Amino acid sequence: MGERLDVLFIYPPWPVLDDRAILQNSLPPLGILSIAAYLESLGHTVAVCDVHGEKLDETEVCERLRRLRPRFVGISVLTNMSIPAQKIARLVKREVPDCTVVVGGVHAEAMPERMLKNSAIDCVCRGDGEEVMREVVEGRPLAQVDGLSWRDGTTVRHNPPRLLNMELDRYPFPAYHMVDFKNYFPAVGSYRNLPAINMLMTRGCPGKCSFCNSARTTLRARGPARVVEQIRLLRETYGIRQIQFYDDTFTVFKKHVLDFCALLAEADLGITWTAYIRGDCFSEDMAAAMKKAGCHQVLMGIETGNEQVAARIGKTIDRERYKETVRIAHQHGLEVRGSFIIGNMDETWQSMTDTLDFAIDLDVDLFQLNISTPYPGTALFNEAAEKGWLKHRDWYAYGQGEVLVEQPQITAAEIFAFERHAFRRFYLRPVSVLRMLKRIASFRHIRDLVVATTVLLLGKHKKGGGEDKWACWKDLREEDFFDVALDTAEPLRMTYQLRQEKFIA
Ligand code: B12
Ligand code: SF4
């Protein structure tokens, strides 16, 4: 038998995607790749198993566990994949009983008690995982690791929060070498060149949106030179030609953006890229610099076109400002992808119509529409839970395509009907059809267009599709993994509070 691995990180699958999945992206999990790189730089042996990206089934995961026999396993948990994550923890303890299982990520940290009802999970990391994981792996007793919640018999103990690391450049680049780039692809309509990969220049967002886990989290930025260095590595080592910046607020630090663009343009790496901008943080000089550095598309979370709904979700709108932003982007040859949400609190057919009208009036090139989803750790989840409006906690469905909040003034059927109507009305306009045809630059773009038309306009997507191979991760019941009768309550929390302020137990 070979040497035991120190740490294995696992990214669970989200197996109930319908055919819309093909419109979506599959990209490497930067959170665990960042922790993995840090631990490796400290001399630990580390591997990453991306069950979602590699499309692994239960047998393959178990085989990998038996082969690597990790001392520690770290599982990253978003809400939609939290039930398969519970099962994976069980498999880990079955195959490697003496292994310590740590979970982290936005869902786990918002619901530590729920995770710890599963005896296969030893502790929950709240917030950044780099230092927490280092201390756990170095053998520090769980009770002494800041930022950790753990089970003490039948009670959950919440250690104090960990101070935020404001200097992100202290950490090495994500451990890209631990994943296979062949498994990843960007979303339809979001790329010029391939292969593509995701990156971040910042962490955190000062916004206050009621539906978002990033709301009010401390904004931290990496140095522009270091980001360009990372792009050079991706280009030269992995042949990457397209980057998707997934920062919540890429354009908040104007000087940073300008410095970054100047350095990237000078490096002349032949990279095309996209980034999220904020409607209220964009300017002529930024647009010009971004275009010159290879940016071809900006994404804007506009969410709604109705003033009342905007106030309700914590994202007020200045119509003229948004219009000006789109004008600036277009003038500099940047496509605009507008992202909108329907089914918000207090939403009506009329307010959704305001949103569609606004998208058309703004003249965004691509129209992205999601259904409001109450994620644990957000104000939306807490309000829906307190009012008794949460339809269920079957986390599989928490993927922005289902109606999960039951409101008296609107039905789920109306929201779905509006969604279909909106895609047709937006994309079947001659100006949109023309734009879509003009964007075609490769065979893959043609394929994308056919798929998008079939799924979004003809509504032909079958629910619960995907590969049969993934049956092992589907239709699981979370309760079946709860084998510890905790005497600790499960309070409602806000992500920003549990990460940065005194932890609310
Ligand atoms: C990039 C991104 C994507 C990419 C790549 C996803 C991926 N493989 O990572 C794509 C576009 C594919 C994507 C898809 C989706 N995403 Co997304 N995505 C993001 C985004 C913008 C950045 C993620 C990231 O890289 N963060 C940076 C790293 C450093 O942070 P991190 O991942 O949180 O990890 C740190 C800590 O959380 C912790 N940690 C995390 N895991 C672990 C594990 C252990 C063991 C430990 C100790 C610590 C730890 O340590 C990490 C490093 O410090 C976030 C928002 C955000 N700012 O985080 C949304 C976000 C994660 N996505 C979200 C959603 C909803 C989705 C989708 C469901 C959307 C959809 N309808 O399709 C899908 C689900 C995909 C899936 N496979 O299931 C929500 C999740 C909400 C929730 N409660 O689950 C977020 C939080 C957006 C938001 N603000 O609400 N996403
Ligand atoms: S939706 Fe965007 S602006 Fe609002 S809190 Fe989340 S990341 Fe920030």
Side-chain angles (χ1 to χ4, degrees):
M1 250 187 220
E3 280 274 291
R4 280 188 80 165
L5 185 79
D6 291 332
V7 193
L8 176 66
F9 285 101
I10 303 183
Y11 194 67
W14 181 25
V16 287
L17 289 168
D18 55 28
D19 285 355
R20 269 190 191 207
I22 201 159
L23 299 178
Q24 294 203 335
N25 25 22
S26 174
L27 292 166
L30 293 184
I32 53 180
L33 289 187
S34 173
I35 311 173
Y38 182 52
L39 295 184
E40 192 178 53
S41 74
L42 298 172
H44 302 290
T45 54
V46 189
V48 170
C49 172
D50 181 355
V51 181
H52 187 85
E54 295 179 54
K55 298 265 174 294
L56 301 178
D57 64 15
E58 177 176 346
T59 316
E60 289 162 321
V61 170
C62 291
E63 187 277 322
R64 203 167 296 189
L65 285 165
R66 282 194 293 272
R67 180 161 50 84
L68 298 172
R69 292 180 305 123
R71 287 177 224 280
F72 297 88
V73 161
I75 308 174
S76 196
V77 192
L78 299 185
T79 302
N80 57 317
M81 52 168 70
S82 67
I83 304 179
Q86 299 264 8
K87 175 166 177 173
I88 288 173
R90 277 290 169 84
L91 297 175
V92 173
K93 285 284 165 123
R94 193 184 76 196
E95 300 298 337
V96 198
D98 65 347
C99 169
T100 300
V101 175
V102 188
V103 296
V106 279
H107 183 78
E109 66 185 5
M111 308 212 112
E113 292 84 7
R114 221 169 167 93
M115 305 308 298
L116 291 166
K117 279 187 194 166
N118 180 349
S119 62
I121 294 173
D122 296 297
C123 52
V124 180
C125 165
R126 307 182 323 256
D128 286 1
E130 285 85 351
E131 306 302 338
V132 169
M133 209 55 201
R134 173 181 60 74
E135 289 187 6
V136 171
V137 171
E138 283 170 356
R140 203 178 169 111
L142 299 187
Q144 292 172 20
V145 180
D146 284 353
L148 207 65
S149 297
W150 53 286
R151 203 177 34 248
D152 181 5
T154 54
T155 303
V156 174
R157 306 270 178 219
H158 302 294
N159 297 346
R162 180 169 283 275
L163 282 180
L164 273 184
N165 171 20
M166 298 300 291
E167 289 162 31
L168 295 178
D169 287 338
R170 254 187 40 211
Y171 294 135
F173 296 145
Y176 293 117
H177 58 285
M178 293 185 197
V179 291
D180 187 343
F181 279 36
K182 279 205 304 291
N183 297 320
Y184 304 114
F185 52 88
V188 161
S190 73
Y191 60 93
R192 276 275 161 80
N193 293 302
L194 290 174
I197 209 77
N198 47 326
M199 272 186 68
L200 293 170
M201 188 151 87
T202 55
R203 286 188 192 176
C205 177
K208 296 184 176 63
C209 307
S210 63
F211 55 87
C212 178
N213 284 107
S214 300
R216 300 170 194 245
T217 53
T218 305
L219 180 55
R220 296 165 284 162
R222 303 172 52 207
R226 184 114 170 106
V227 179
V228 173
E229 202 188 316
Q230 186 174 344
I231 296 177
R232 184 185 294 284
L233 170 107
L234 286 165
R235 179 80 186 97
E236 290 172 359
T237 313
Y238 301 98
I240 291 299
R241 298 180 59 215
Q242 167 89 33
I243 308 273
Q244 323 293 88
F245 277 101
Y246 267 104
D247 301 65
D248 296 326
T249 47
F250 187 83
T251 52
V252 164
F253 295 125
K254 181 171 176 179
K255 184 171 175 326
H256 243 74
V257 174
L258 295 178
D259 289 352
F260 163 73
C261 290
L263 288 171
L264 184 59
E266 191 185 307
D268 194 20
L269 297 171
I271 294 277
T272 48
W273 52 282
T274 67
Y276 276 90
I277 58 169
R278 274 181 61 124
D280 54 356
C281 299
F282 199 54
S283 55
E284 296 274 358
D285 49 352
M286 266 197 261
M290 286 166 71
K291 177 71 185 172
K292 191 169 171 218
C295 179
H296 61 95
Q297 184 181 95
V298 292
L299 297 88
M300 229 190 325
I302 303 164
E303 328 303 1
T304 179
N306 178 281
E307 305 279 354
Q308 282 81 40
V309 172
R312 195 71 170 74
I313 64 178
K315 197 167 195 173
T316 47
I317 40 172
D318 178 341
R319 292 174 167 273
E320 293 314 311
R321 191 70 208 263
Y322 274 124
K323 274 193 153 171
E324 175 65 0
T325 297
V326 175
R327 187 198 62 74
I328 292 174
H330 281 166
Q331 193 189 318
H332 290 273
L334 299 169
E335 268 186 327
V336 180
R337 188 184 190 107
S339 178
F340 298 86
I341 303 178
I342 51 173
N344 297 293
M345 285 292 192
D346 297 346
E347 193 89 86
T348 59
W349 187 275
Q350 181 54 53
S351 64
M352 294 190 294
T353 305
D354 293 343
T355 297
L356 177 58
D357 289 345
F358 190 37
I360 291 173
D361 186 38
L362 274 178
D363 196 28
V364 294
D365 301 272
L366 292 128
F367 173 64
Q368 189 174 307
L369 195 59
N370 290 316
I371 296 178
S372 176
T373 301
Y375 287 110
T378 65
L380 173 60
F381 181 84
N382 293 355
E383 183 182 348
E386 275 159 3
K387 287 191 160 136
W389 285 2
L390 270 189
K391 257 193 186 161
H392 56 69
R393 294 183 189 212
D394 177 4
W395 307 120
Y396 284 116
Y398 280 60
Q400 301 173 335
E402 299 283 335
V403 178
L404 296 160
V405 181
E406 271 176 304
Q407 302 184 59
Q409 83 290 354
I410 194 155
T411 64
E414 283 173 293
I415 294 170
F416 288 130
F418 186 86
E419 186 190 29
R420 274 192 305 278
H421 156 73
F423 279 126
R424 287 182 196 164
R425 198 175 138 214
F426 186 89
Y427 282 112
L428 292 179
R429 294 170 307 140
V431 60
S432 272
V433 174
L434 214 67
R435 271 185 186 154
M436 289 308 117
L437 293 174
K438 270 169 71 182
R439 328 185 53 250
I440 294 176
S442 68
F443 270 128
R444 200 180 155 110
H445 284 134
I446 298 177
R447 189 213 69 162
D448 287 357
L449 195 59
V450 172
V451 172
T453 309
T454 326
V455 175
L456 296 181
L457 302 185
L458 304 179
K460 292 207 167 151
H461 52 97
K462 45 180 197 310
K463 289 267 168 202
E467 296 172 24
D468 270 340
K469 173 175 187 204
W470 266 12
C472 56
W473 308 121
K474 288 179 184 166
D475 302 323
L476 304 169
R477 278 173 10 108
E478 191 181 29
E479 293 71 26
D480 291 342
F481 301 104
F482 293 165
D483 58 348
V484 186
L486 290 180
D487 51 30
T488 315
E490 212 178 282
L492 297 172
R493 301 191 170 89
M494 295 287 289
T495 299
Y496 76 95
Q497 288 177 327
L498 65 89
R499 282 191 182 177
Q500 289 150 252
E501 295 178 5
K502 193 169 158 12
F503 191 60
I504 310 159

